[in-house]
Amino acid sequence: MQTISVPLNNRSYPIWIDYGLLTTLPEILKTLNHGQIWVIFSQNNIINQYGSTFVKALQKSGYKIEIIILSDGEKSKSLSSMQGLISKLL
């Protein structure tokens, strides 16, 4: 697996690149899973293509999953869209 670190001080995060990551991610994240709800933000075409494999692998490993579908295109990059997302999270 290749890891790219994004250095943002206290907001740093890794980007993982690997073949088959959709099914191995539950193992990679297991130390972070403490029974909380994991929220997946995605667009319809992406979740339709990859979501079933990804979500099933997470759920099989005991992850609680919620999926929030984002609008396609530029309209999803607006303040009103963000308000809708926050509302769904609450």
Coordinates of all heavy atoms in Angstrom, one line a residue:
M1 N 0.8 -1.2 0.0 CA 0.0 0.0 0.0 C 0.9 1.2 0.0 O 1.9 1.3 0.7 CB -0.9 0.0 1.2 CG -1.7 1.3 1.3 SD -2.9 1.5 2.6 CE -2.9 0.0 3.5
Q2 N 0.5 2.2 -0.8 CA 1.2 3.5 -0.8 C 0.4 4.5 0.1 O -0.8 4.5 0.0 CB 1.3 4.0 -2.2 CG 2.1 5.3 -2.3 CD 2.2 5.8 -3.7 OE1 1.8 5.2 -4.7 NE2 2.8 7.0 -3.9
T3 N 1.1 5.2 0.9 CA 0.5 6.2 1.8 C 1.1 7.6 1.4 O 2.3 7.8 1.4 CB 0.7 5.9 3.2 OG1 0.2 4.6 3.5 CG2 0.0 7.0 4.1
I4 N 0.2 8.5 1.2 CA 0.6 9.9 1.0 C 0.1 10.7 2.2 O -1.1 10.7 2.5 CB 0.0 10.5 -0.3 CG1 0.5 9.7 -1.5 CG2 0.3 12.0 -0.5 CD1 -0.2 10.0 -2.8
S5 N 1.0 11.4 2.8 CA 0.6 12.2 4.0 C 0.3 13.6 3.6 O 1.1 14.2 2.8 CB 1.7 12.2 5.0 OG 2.0 11.0 5.5
V6 N -0.8 14.1 4.0 CA -1.2 15.5 3.8 C -0.9 16.3 5.1 O -1.7 16.2 6.0 CB -2.7 15.6 3.4 CG1 -3.1 17.1 3.1 CG2 -3.0 14.8 2.2
P7 N 0.2 17.1 5.1 CA 0.6 17.7 6.4 C -0.2 19.1 6.6 O 0.1 20.1 5.9 CB 2.1 18.0 6.1 CG 2.2 18.1 4.7 CD 1.1 17.3 4.0
L8 N -1.1 19.0 7.5 CA -1.9 20.2 7.8 C -1.9 20.5 9.3 O -3.0 20.8 9.9 CB -3.4 20.1 7.3 CG -3.5 19.9 5.8 CD1 -5.0 19.6 5.5 CD2 -3.1 21.2 5.1
N9 N -0.8 20.4 9.9 CA -0.7 20.6 11.4 C -1.6 19.6 12.1 O -1.5 18.4 11.9 CB -0.8 22.0 11.8 CG 0.2 22.9 11.2 OD1 1.4 22.5 11.1 ND2 -0.1 24.1 10.7
N10 N -2.5 20.1 12.9 CA -3.4 19.3 13.7 C -4.6 18.7 12.8 O -5.4 17.9 13.3 CB -4.0 20.0 14.9 CG -4.9 21.2 14.5 OD1 -4.8 21.7 13.4 ND2 -5.6 21.7 15.4
R11 N -4.6 19.0 11.5 CA -5.7 18.5 10.6 C -5.0 17.6 9.6 O -5.7 17.3 8.6 CB -6.4 19.6 10.0 CG -7.2 20.5 10.9 CD -7.9 21.6 10.2 NE -7.0 22.5 9.5 CZ -7.2 22.8 8.2 NH1 -8.3 22.5 7.6 NH2 -6.4 23.6 7.6
S12 N -3.8 17.1 9.8 CA -3.2 16.2 8.9 C -3.9 14.9 8.7 O -4.6 14.5 9.6 CB -1.7 15.9 9.4 OG -1.0 17.1 9.5
Y13 N -3.8 14.3 7.5 CA -4.4 13.0 7.3 C -3.7 12.3 6.2 O -3.0 12.8 5.4 CB -5.9 13.2 6.9 CG -6.1 14.0 5.6 CD1 -6.2 13.4 4.4 CD2 -6.2 15.4 5.7 CE1 -6.4 14.2 3.2 CE2 -6.4 16.2 4.6 CZ -6.5 15.5 3.3 OH -6.7 16.3 2.2
P14 N -3.9 10.9 6.2 CA -3.2 10.1 5.1 C -4.2 9.9 4.0 O -5.4 9.9 4.2 CB -2.9 8.8 5.9 CG -4.1 8.7 6.8 CD -4.4 10.1 7.3
I15 N -3.6 9.6 2.8 CA -4.4 9.1 1.7 C -3.7 7.8 1.3 O -2.5 7.7 1.1 CB -4.2 10.1 0.5 CG1 -4.8 11.4 0.8 CG2 -4.9 9.5 -0.8 CD1 -4.6 12.5 -0.3
W16 N -4.6 6.7 1.3 CA -4.1 5.4 1.1 C -4.4 5.0 -0.4 O -5.6 5.2 -0.8 CB -4.7 4.4 2.0 CG -4.4 4.6 3.5 CD1 -3.1 4.7 4.0 CD2 -5.3 4.8 4.5 NE1 -3.2 4.9 5.3 CE2 -4.5 5.0 5.7 CE3 -6.7 4.9 4.6 CZ2 -5.1 5.2 6.9 CZ3 -7.2 5.1 5.9 CH2 -6.4 5.3 7.0
I17 N -3.5 4.4 -1.0 CA -3.7 4.0 -2.4 C -3.2 2.5 -2.5 O -2.1 2.1 -2.1 CB -2.8 4.8 -3.4 CG1 -3.2 6.3 -3.3 CG2 -3.0 4.3 -4.8 CD1 -2.2 7.2 -4.0
D18 N -4.2 1.6 -2.9 CA -3.9 0.2 -3.0 C -4.9 -0.5 -3.8 O -6.1 -0.1 -3.8 CB -3.8 -0.4 -1.6 CG -3.0 -1.7 -1.6 OD1 -2.4 -2.1 -2.6 OD2 -3.1 -2.4 -0.5
Y19 N -4.5 -1.6 -4.5 CA -5.5 -2.4 -5.2 C -6.3 -3.1 -4.1 O -5.8 -3.7 -3.2 CB -4.8 -3.4 -6.1 CG -5.7 -4.3 -6.8 CD1 -6.3 -3.9 -7.9 CD2 -5.9 -5.6 -6.4 CE1 -7.2 -4.7 -8.6 CE2 -6.8 -6.4 -7.0 CZ -7.4 -6.0 -8.2 OH -8.3 -6.8 -8.8
G20 N -7.7 -3.2 -4.3 CA -8.5 -3.9 -3.4 C -8.8 -3.2 -2.1 O -9.3 -3.7 -1.2
L21 N -8.6 -1.9 -2.0 CA -8.7 -1.1 -0.8 C -10.2 -1.1 -0.3 O -10.4 -1.0 0.9 CB -8.2 0.3 -1.0 CG -8.0 1.2 0.2 CD1 -7.0 0.5 1.2 CD2 -7.5 2.6 -0.2
L22 N -11.1 -1.2 -1.2 CA -12.5 -1.2 -0.9 C -12.9 -2.3 0.1 O -13.7 -2.2 1.0 CB -13.4 -1.3 -2.1 CG -13.5 -0.1 -3.0 CD1 -14.3 -0.3 -4.2 CD2 -13.9 1.2 -2.3
T23 N -12.2 -3.4 0.0 CA -12.5 -4.6 0.9 C -11.5 -4.7 2.0 O -11.8 -5.4 3.0 CB -12.5 -5.9 0.1 OG1 -11.2 -6.0 -0.6 CG2 -13.6 -5.9 -1.0
T24 N -10.3 -4.1 2.0 CA -9.4 -4.1 3.1 C -9.4 -3.0 4.0 O -8.8 -3.0 5.1 CB -7.9 -4.3 2.5 OG1 -7.6 -3.2 1.7 CG2 -7.8 -5.6 1.7
L25 N -10.2 -1.9 3.7 CA -10.2 -0.8 4.5 C -10.8 -1.0 5.9 O -10.3 -0.4 6.9 CB -11.1 0.3 3.8 CG -10.9 1.7 4.4 CD1 -9.4 2.2 4.3 CD2 -11.7 2.7 3.6
P26 N -11.7 -1.9 6.1 CA -12.2 -2.2 7.5 C -11.0 -2.6 8.4 O -11.0 -2.2 9.6 CB -13.2 -3.3 7.3 CG -13.7 -3.2 5.9 CD -12.5 -2.7 5.1
E27 N -10.1 -3.4 7.9 CA -8.9 -3.8 8.7 C -8.0 -2.6 9.0 O -7.5 -2.5 10.1 CB -8.2 -4.9 8.0 CG -7.0 -5.4 8.7 CD -7.3 -6.2 10.0 OE1 -8.4 -6.7 10.1 OE2 -6.4 -6.2 10.9
I28 N -7.8 -1.8 8.0 CA -7.0 -0.6 8.2 C -7.5 0.3 9.2 O -6.8 0.9 10.0 CB -6.8 0.1 6.8 CG1 -6.0 -0.8 5.9 CG2 -6.1 1.4 7.0 CD1 -6.0 -0.3 4.4
L29 N -8.8 0.5 9.3 CA -9.5 1.5 10.2 C -9.9 0.9 11.5 O -10.4 1.6 12.3 CB -10.8 2.0 9.5 CG -10.5 2.9 8.2 CD1 -11.9 3.2 7.6 CD2 -9.7 4.1 8.5
K30 N -9.7 -0.4 11.7 CA -10.2 -1.1 12.9 C -9.8 -0.4 14.2 O -10.6 -0.4 15.2 CB -9.9 -2.6 12.9 CG -8.5 -2.9 13.3 CD -8.3 -4.4 13.3 CE -6.8 -4.7 13.5 NZ -6.6 -6.2 13.5
T31 N -8.6 0.2 14.3 CA -8.3 0.8 15.6 C -9.0 2.1 15.8 O -9.1 2.6 17.0 CB -6.7 1.1 15.6 OG1 -6.4 2.0 14.6 CG2 -5.9 -0.1 15.5
L32 N -9.7 2.6 14.8 CA -10.5 3.8 14.9 C -12.0 3.6 15.1 O -12.7 4.5 15.4 CB -10.3 4.7 13.7 CG -8.9 5.1 13.4 CD1 -8.8 5.8 12.0 CD2 -8.3 6.0 14.4
N33 N -12.4 2.3 15.0 CA -13.8 1.9 15.1 C -14.1 1.6 16.5 O -13.7 0.6 17.0 CB -14.1 0.8 14.2 CG -15.6 0.5 14.1 OD1 -16.4 1.4 14.3 ND2 -16.0 -0.7 13.8
H34 N -14.9 2.4 17.2 CA -15.3 2.2 18.6 C -16.8 2.2 18.7 O -17.4 2.7 19.7 CB -14.7 3.3 19.4 CG -13.2 3.5 19.3 ND1 -12.3 2.5 19.8 CD2 -12.5 4.4 18.7 CE1 -11.1 2.9 19.5 NE2 -11.1 4.0 18.8
G35 N -17.5 1.7 17.7 CA -19.0 1.6 17.7 C -19.7 2.9 17.3 O -20.9 3.0 17.3
Q36 N -19.0 3.9 16.8 CA -19.6 5.1 16.3 C -20.2 4.9 15.0 O -20.0 3.9 14.3 CB -18.6 6.3 16.3 CG -17.5 6.2 15.2 CD -16.3 5.3 15.5 OE1 -16.4 4.4 16.3 NE2 -15.2 5.7 14.9
I37 N -21.0 5.8 14.5 CA -21.6 5.8 13.2 C -20.6 6.5 12.2 O -20.1 7.6 12.4 CB -22.9 6.5 13.1 CG1 -23.9 5.8 14.0 CG2 -23.5 6.6 11.7 CD1 -25.3 6.5 14.2
W38 N -20.3 5.7 11.1 CA -19.4 6.3 10.1 C -20.3 6.8 9.0 O -21.2 6.1 8.5 CB -18.5 5.1 9.5 CG -17.5 4.6 10.5 CD1 -17.7 3.9 11.6 CD2 -16.1 4.9 10.5 NE1 -16.6 3.6 12.3 CE2 -15.5 4.2 11.6 CE3 -15.3 5.7 9.7 CZ2 -14.2 4.3 11.9 CZ3 -13.9 5.7 10.0 CH2 -13.4 5.0 11.1
V39 N -20.0 8.0 8.6 CA -20.8 8.7 7.6 C -20.0 8.7 6.3 O -18.9 9.2 6.3 CB -21.3 10.1 8.0 CG1 -22.1 10.8 6.9 CG2 -22.0 10.1 9.3
I40 N -20.6 8.2 5.2 CA -20.0 8.2 3.9 C -20.7 9.2 3.0 O -21.9 9.1 2.8 CB -20.1 6.8 3.2 CG1 -19.4 5.8 4.1 CG2 -19.6 6.9 1.8 CD1 -19.6 4.4 3.7
F41 N -20.0 10.2 2.6 CA -20.5 11.2 1.7 C -20.1 10.8 0.3 O -19.0 10.6 0.0 CB -19.9 12.6 1.9 CG -20.3 13.2 3.3 CD1 -19.5 13.0 4.4 CD2 -21.5 13.9 3.4 CE1 -19.9 13.5 5.6 CE2 -21.9 14.5 4.6 CZ -21.1 14.3 5.7
S42 N -21.1 10.7 -0.6 CA -20.8 10.3 -2.0 C -21.8 10.9 -3.0 O -22.9 11.3 -2.6 CB -20.8 8.8 -2.1 OG -20.5 8.3 -3.4
Q43 N -21.5 10.8 -4.2 CA -22.4 11.1 -5.3 C -23.0 9.8 -5.8 O -22.4 8.7 -5.6 CB -21.7 11.8 -6.4 CG -21.2 13.2 -6.0 CD -20.4 13.9 -7.1 OE1 -19.6 13.2 -7.8 NE2 -20.6 15.2 -7.3
N44 N -24.2 9.9 -6.3 CA -24.9 8.7 -6.7 C -24.1 7.8 -7.6 O -24.1 6.5 -7.4 CB -26.2 9.1 -7.4 CG -27.4 8.9 -6.6 OD1 -27.5 8.1 -5.6 ND2 -28.4 9.7 -6.8
N45 N -23.5 8.3 -8.7 CA -22.8 7.4 -9.6 C -21.6 6.7 -9.0 O -21.3 5.6 -9.3 CB -22.4 8.2 -10.9 CG -21.4 9.4 -10.5 OD1 -21.4 9.8 -9.4 ND2 -20.8 9.9 -11.5
I46 N -21.0 7.3 -8.0 CA -19.9 6.7 -7.3 C -20.3 5.6 -6.4 O -19.8 4.5 -6.3 CB -19.0 7.8 -6.6 CG1 -18.4 8.7 -7.6 CG2 -17.9 7.1 -5.8 CD1 -17.7 9.9 -7.0
I47 N -21.3 6.0 -5.5 CA -21.8 5.0 -4.6 C -22.5 3.8 -5.3 O -22.4 2.6 -4.9 CB -22.8 5.6 -3.5 CG1 -22.8 4.8 -2.3 CG2 -24.2 5.8 -4.1 CD1 -21.6 4.8 -1.4
N48 N -23.1 4.0 -6.5 CA -23.7 2.9 -7.2 C -22.7 2.0 -7.8 O -22.9 0.8 -7.9 CB -24.6 3.5 -8.4 CG -25.9 4.1 -7.8 OD1 -26.3 3.8 -6.7 ND2 -26.5 5.0 -8.6
Q49 N -21.5 2.5 -8.2 CA -20.5 1.7 -8.7 C -19.6 1.0 -7.7 O -19.3 -0.2 -7.9 CB -19.5 2.6 -9.6 CG -18.5 1.7 -10.4 CD -17.8 2.5 -11.4 OE1 -18.0 3.7 -11.6 NE2 -16.9 1.9 -12.1
Y50 N -19.3 1.7 -6.6 CA -18.4 1.1 -5.6 C -19.0 0.9 -4.2 O -18.4 0.1 -3.4 CB -17.2 2.0 -5.4 CG -16.4 2.3 -6.7 CD1 -16.5 3.5 -7.3 CD2 -15.6 1.3 -7.3 CE1 -15.8 3.8 -8.5 CE2 -14.9 1.5 -8.4 CZ -15.0 2.8 -9.0 OH -14.4 3.0 -10.2
G51 N -20.1 1.5 -3.9 CA -20.7 1.5 -2.6 C -21.0 0.1 -2.0 O -20.8 -0.1 -0.9
S52 N -21.6 -0.7 -2.8 CA -22.1 -2.0 -2.3 C -20.9 -2.8 -1.7 O -21.0 -3.3 -0.6 CB -22.7 -2.8 -3.4 OG -23.1 -4.0 -3.0
T53 N -19.8 -2.9 -2.5 CA -18.6 -3.6 -2.0 C -18.1 -3.0 -0.8 O -17.8 -3.7 0.2 CB -17.5 -3.6 -3.1 OG1 -18.1 -4.2 -4.3 CG2 -16.3 -4.3 -2.7
F54 N -17.9 -1.7 -0.8 CA -17.3 -0.9 0.3 C -18.2 -1.0 1.6 O -17.7 -1.4 2.7 CB -17.2 0.5 -0.1 CG -16.6 1.4 0.9 CD1 -15.3 1.2 1.4 CD2 -17.2 2.6 1.2 CE1 -14.8 2.1 2.3 CE2 -16.7 3.5 2.1 CZ -15.4 3.2 2.7
V55 N -19.5 -0.8 1.5 CA -20.4 -0.8 2.6 C -20.5 -2.2 3.2 O -20.5 -2.3 4.4 CB -21.8 -0.1 2.2 CG1 -22.8 -0.4 3.3 CG2 -21.6 1.3 1.9
K56 N -20.7 -3.2 2.3 CA -20.8 -4.5 2.8 C -19.5 -5.0 3.6 O -19.6 -5.6 4.6 CB -21.0 -5.5 1.7 CG -22.5 -5.5 1.2 CD -22.6 -6.4 0.0 CE -24.0 -6.3 -0.6 NZ -24.2 -7.1 -1.7
A57 N -18.4 -4.6 3.1 CA -17.1 -4.9 3.8 C -17.1 -4.3 5.2 O -16.7 -4.9 6.2 CB -15.9 -4.5 3.0
L58 N -17.5 -3.0 5.3 CA -17.5 -2.3 6.6 C -18.5 -2.9 7.5 O -18.2 -3.2 8.7 CB -17.8 -0.8 6.3 CG -16.6 0.0 5.7 CD1 -17.1 1.4 5.3 CD2 -15.5 0.1 6.7
Q59 N -19.7 -3.1 7.0 CA -20.8 -3.7 7.9 C -20.4 -5.1 8.4 O -20.7 -5.4 9.5 CB -22.1 -3.7 7.1 CG -22.7 -2.3 7.0 CD -23.9 -2.3 6.1 OE1 -24.1 -3.1 5.2 NE2 -24.8 -1.3 6.4
K60 N -19.8 -5.9 7.5 CA -19.4 -7.3 7.9 C -18.4 -7.2 9.0 O -18.3 -8.1 9.9 CB -18.8 -8.0 6.7 CG -18.5 -9.4 6.9 CD -17.9 -10.1 5.7 CE -17.5 -11.5 6.0 NZ -16.9 -12.1 4.8
S61 N -17.6 -6.2 9.1 CA -16.6 -6.0 10.2 C -17.1 -5.2 11.4 O -16.4 -4.9 12.2 CB -15.4 -5.3 9.6 OG -14.8 -6.1 8.6
G62 N -18.4 -5.0 11.4 CA -19.0 -4.4 12.6 C -19.2 -2.8 12.6 O -19.5 -2.2 13.6
Y63 N -18.9 -2.2 11.4 CA -19.1 -0.8 11.4 C -20.5 -0.4 11.2 O -21.3 -1.1 10.4 CB -18.3 -0.2 10.2 CG -16.8 -0.3 10.3 CD1 -16.1 -1.5 10.2 CD2 -16.0 0.8 10.5 CE1 -14.7 -1.6 10.3 CE2 -14.6 0.7 10.6 CZ -14.0 -0.5 10.5 OH -12.6 -0.6 10.7
K64 N -20.9 0.7 11.8 CA -22.3 1.2 11.6 C -22.1 2.3 10.6 O -21.4 3.3 10.7 CB -22.8 1.8 12.9 CG -23.0 0.8 14.0 CD -23.4 1.5 15.3 CE -23.4 0.5 16.4 NZ -23.6 1.1 17.7
I65 N -22.9 2.2 9.5 CA -22.7 3.1 8.3 C -24.0 3.9 8.0 O -25.1 3.3 8.0 CB -22.4 2.2 7.1 CG1 -21.1 1.4 7.3 CG2 -22.2 3.1 5.8 CD1 -19.9 2.1 7.6
E66 N -23.8 5.1 7.7 CA -24.9 6.0 7.1 C -24.3 6.6 5.8 O -23.1 6.9 5.8 CB -25.3 7.1 8.1 CG -26.0 6.7 9.3 CD -27.4 6.2 9.0 OE1 -28.1 6.7 8.0 OE2 -27.9 5.3 9.7
I67 N -25.1 6.6 4.8 CA -24.7 7.2 3.5 C -25.5 8.5 3.3 O -26.7 8.5 3.4 CB -24.9 6.2 2.4 CG1 -24.1 4.9 2.6 CG2 -24.5 6.8 1.0 CD1 -24.4 3.8 1.7
I68 N -24.8 9.6 2.9 CA -25.4 10.8 2.5 C -25.0 11.1 1.1 O -23.8 11.1 0.8 CB -25.0 12.0 3.4 CG1 -25.5 11.7 4.9 CG2 -25.5 13.3 2.9 CD1 -25.1 12.8 5.9
I69 N -26.0 11.2 0.2 CA -25.8 11.4 -1.2 C -25.7 12.9 -1.5 O -26.6 13.7 -1.1 CB -26.9 10.8 -2.0 CG1 -27.0 9.3 -1.8 CG2 -26.7 11.0 -3.5 CD1 -25.8 8.5 -2.1
L70 N -24.6 13.3 -2.2 CA -24.4 14.6 -2.6 C -24.9 14.8 -4.0 O -24.9 13.9 -4.8 CB -22.9 15.0 -2.5 CG -22.2 14.7 -1.2 CD1 -20.7 14.9 -1.4 CD2 -22.7 15.6 -0.1
S71 N -25.3 16.0 -4.3 CA -25.8 16.4 -5.7 C -24.6 16.4 -6.6 O -23.4 16.6 -6.2 CB -26.4 17.8 -5.7 OG -27.5 17.8 -4.8
D72 N -24.8 16.1 -7.8 CA -23.7 16.1 -8.8 C -23.5 17.6 -9.2 O -24.4 18.4 -9.2 CB -24.1 15.4 -10.1 CG -24.2 13.9 -9.9 OD1 -23.4 13.4 -9.0 OD2 -24.9 13.2 -10.5
G73 N -22.3 17.9 -9.7 CA -22.0 19.2 -10.2 C -21.8 20.3 -9.2 O -21.6 20.1 -8.0
E74 N -21.7 21.5 -9.7 CA -21.4 22.7 -9.0 C -22.4 23.1 -7.9 O -22.1 23.7 -6.9 CB -21.1 23.9 -9.9 CG -19.9 23.7 -10.8 CD -18.6 23.6 -9.9 OE1 -18.4 24.4 -9.0 OE2 -17.8 22.7 -10.2
K75 N -23.7 22.6 -8.1 CA -24.7 23.0 -7.2 C -24.5 22.4 -5.8 O -25.0 22.9 -4.8 CB -26.1 22.6 -7.7 CG -26.3 21.2 -7.9 CD -27.7 20.9 -8.5 CE -27.8 19.4 -8.8 NZ -29.1 19.1 -9.4
S76 N -23.7 21.4 -5.7 CA -23.4 20.8 -4.4 C -22.3 21.6 -3.6 O -22.1 21.3 -2.5 CB -22.9 19.3 -4.6 OG -21.6 19.3 -5.2
K77 N -21.7 22.5 -4.3 CA -20.7 23.3 -3.7 C -21.2 24.7 -3.3 O -20.6 25.7 -3.5 CB -19.5 23.5 -4.6 CG -18.9 22.2 -5.1 CD -17.8 22.5 -6.1 CE -17.3 21.2 -6.6 NZ -16.4 21.4 -7.8
S78 N -22.4 24.7 -2.6 CA -23.0 25.9 -2.2 C -23.3 25.9 -0.7 O -23.3 24.9 0.0 CB -24.3 26.1 -2.9 OG -25.3 25.2 -2.5
L79 N -23.5 27.1 -0.2 CA -23.9 27.2 1.3 C -25.2 26.5 1.6 O -25.3 25.8 2.6 CB -24.0 28.7 1.7 CG -24.2 29.0 3.1 CD1 -23.1 28.3 4.0 CD2 -24.2 30.5 3.4
S80 N -26.2 26.6 0.7 CA -27.4 25.9 1.0 C -27.3 24.4 1.0 O -27.9 23.7 1.7 CB -28.5 26.4 0.0 OG -28.2 26.0 -1.3
S81 N -26.4 23.9 0.1 CA -26.1 22.5 0.1 C -25.4 22.1 1.4 O -25.8 21.0 2.0 CB -25.2 22.2 -1.1 OG -24.9 20.8 -1.1
M82 N -24.5 22.9 1.9 CA -23.8 22.6 3.1 C -24.8 22.6 4.3 O -24.7 21.8 5.2 CB -22.7 23.6 3.3 CG -21.9 23.4 4.6 SD -21.2 21.7 4.7 CE -19.7 22.0 3.7
Q83 N -25.7 23.5 4.3 CA -26.8 23.6 5.3 C -27.6 22.3 5.4 O -27.9 21.7 6.4 CB -27.7 24.8 5.1 CG -27.0 26.1 5.5 CD -27.8 27.3 5.1 OE1 -28.6 27.3 4.1 NE2 -27.6 28.4 5.8
G84 N -27.9 21.8 4.2 CA -28.6 20.5 4.1 C -27.9 19.3 4.6 O -28.4 18.5 5.3
L85 N -26.5 19.3 4.4 CA -25.7 18.3 4.9 C -25.6 18.3 6.4 O -25.7 17.3 7.1 CB -24.3 18.4 4.3 CG -24.1 18.1 2.8 CD1 -22.7 18.3 2.4 CD2 -24.6 16.7 2.5
I86 N -25.5 19.5 6.9 CA -25.4 19.7 8.4 C -26.7 19.2 9.0 O -26.7 18.5 10.1 CB -25.1 21.1 8.8 CG1 -23.6 21.4 8.4 CG2 -25.3 21.4 10.3 CD1 -23.2 22.9 8.4
S87 N -27.8 19.5 8.4 CA -29.1 19.1 8.9 C -29.2 17.6 8.9 O -29.7 17.0 9.9 CB -30.2 19.7 7.9 OG -31.2 20.2 8.6
K88 N -28.7 16.9 7.9 CA -28.8 15.5 7.8 C -27.9 14.9 8.9 O -28.2 13.8 9.5 CB -28.3 15.0 6.5 CG -29.4 15.2 5.4 CD -28.9 14.7 4.0 CE -29.9 15.1 3.0 NZ -29.4 14.6 1.6
L89 N -26.7 15.5 9.2 CA -25.8 15.0 10.2 C -26.5 15.1 11.6 O -26.3 14.2 12.4 CB -24.5 15.7 10.2 CG -23.6 15.4 9.0 CD1 -22.4 16.3 9.0 CD2 -23.1 13.9 9.1
L90 N -27.2 16.2 11.8 CA -27.8 16.4 13.1 C -29.0 15.4 13.3 O -29.2 14.9 14.4 CB -28.3 17.8 13.3 CG -27.2 18.9 13.3 CD1 -27.7 20.2 13.3 CD2 -26.3 18.7 14.5

